[in-house]
Amino acid sequence: MFLLAGGSGLVPLMAMIRMRRAVGSRTPFRLIYSARSPETQLFTSELRRGDPGLDTTYAYTRSTPPQWSRPAGRIDASAISSGGWPPDFEPTCYVCGSTGFVETAAGLLVALGHHPGRIRTERFG
């Protein structure tokens, strides 16, 4: 599974992450979570507690932690390529966030070669 969350769009995706953990699934998940700043992140301790098979990549749009390797900015093709699954793995991609985030992320996924039929979206705002 390939999960992309923008801000509070993480909430429904956390239900998937928690269910995976609850049933003991070994299906690997990759999550890219875009937040305004480290202070606005949701579920920080839960995501950082070390869940085998869950790889989380963070992107910050306004401010980053000290010595963060990537400058603050919106999610882009580079972030998706480095934090997600390649298209040839044929992952199901779940994107949730504001309308602007979802449209951008889904468009980037398609541009990177992910099949549109494997992209599921939920948006708000």
Side-chain angles (χ1 to χ4, degrees):
M1 295 278 187
F2 184 8
L3 313 174
L4 291 99
S8 61
L10 178 61
V11 173
L13 301 181
M14 280 303 295
M16 296 170 72
I17 292 168
R18 288 173 175 159
M19 180 57 72
R20 176 188 171 277
R21 187 181 313 128
V23 300
S25 173
R26 299 181 60 88
T27 301
F29 275 29
R30 289 207 174 160
L31 167 67
I32 298 175
Y33 178 31
S34 176
R36 289 182 179 171
S37 68
E39 296 78 28
T40 63
Q41 287 178 204
L42 303 173
F43 307 107
T44 302
S45 60
E46 188 173 354
L47 286 173
R48 291 200 176 151
R49 75 176 180 187
D51 186 348
L54 171 63
D55 296 321
T56 304
T57 300
Y58 296 91
Y60 299 102
T61 60
R62 303 244 173 104
S63 64
T64 64
Q67 284 81 44
W68 193 251
S69 61
R70 185 182 165 173
R74 297 190 181 271
I75 197 164
D76 59 16
S78 173
I80 291 175
S81 293
S82 65
W85 297 111
D88 59 326
F89 282 24
E90 298 182 341
T92 301
C93 305
Y94 292 88
V95 184
C96 188
S98 67
T99 297
F101 175 85
V102 170
E103 289 177 359
T104 297
L108 289 167
L109 286 166
V110 171
L112 289 167
H114 290 272
H115 189 278
R118 299 192 65 83
I119 301 170
R120 311 287 189 265
T121 63
E122 182 174 334
R123 63 190 80 214
F124 54 83

